[in-house]
Amino acid sequence: MTELRYGNKAFPLPQSKLARIAIGGGLVAGGVLGFLPILGFWMIPLGLVVLSFDLPMVRRGRRRLTVRLGRRFKKRWPSAWHRHVTEAKPHVRTHRTNT
């Protein structure tokens, strides 16, 4: 199951690649129309994150941004960065098998 993780929360995404691309594209398109009452500009980054699961070009941009922000965070707050790295939980879930 594909899921979007933010902190300790996980939000499930559809297993279908086409559905994920449609959701991500719809969020980006809705974000472009963010000046309308119900839609908002917050939809653009969320749509890009959803699209990054399936589109390599968007995935590379997201990874570059993550590395750049991580380096900036490490440079400005080294003690907080060390605490974050040592206490971080892995993003990969391990499935236990009953033996």
Side-chain angles (χ1 to χ4, degrees), residues 23-82:
I23 289 171
L27 284 168
V28 170
V32 170
L33 301 173
F35 58 88
L36 295 174
I38 296 177
L39 306 173
F41 294 111
W42 58 269
M43 297 171 76
I44 295 173
L46 182 61
L48 291 174
V49 168
V50 172
L51 286 173
S52 72
F53 280 94
D54 297 307
L55 301 177
M57 185 173 63
V58 180
R59 186 179 313 125
R60 281 191 296 272
R62 178 181 52 87
R63 286 183 179 167
R64 285 181 186 148
L65 180 64
T66 303
V67 169
R68 188 177 303 139
L69 291 175
R71 287 179 181 159
R72 181 177 292 174
F73 186 79
K74 179 182 177 182
K75 185 177 180 181
R76 289 188 181 180
W77 300 287
S79 62
W81 178 82
H82 177 72

Side-chain angles (χ1 to χ4, degrees), residues 7-37:
N8 293 332
K9 298 186 180 197
F11 303 97
L13 292 174
Q15 291 184 353
S16 169
K17 181 178 179 176
L18 185 61
R20 285 191 306 266
I21 291 175
I23 289 171
L27 284 168
V28 170
V32 170
L33 301 173
F35 58 88
L36 295 174

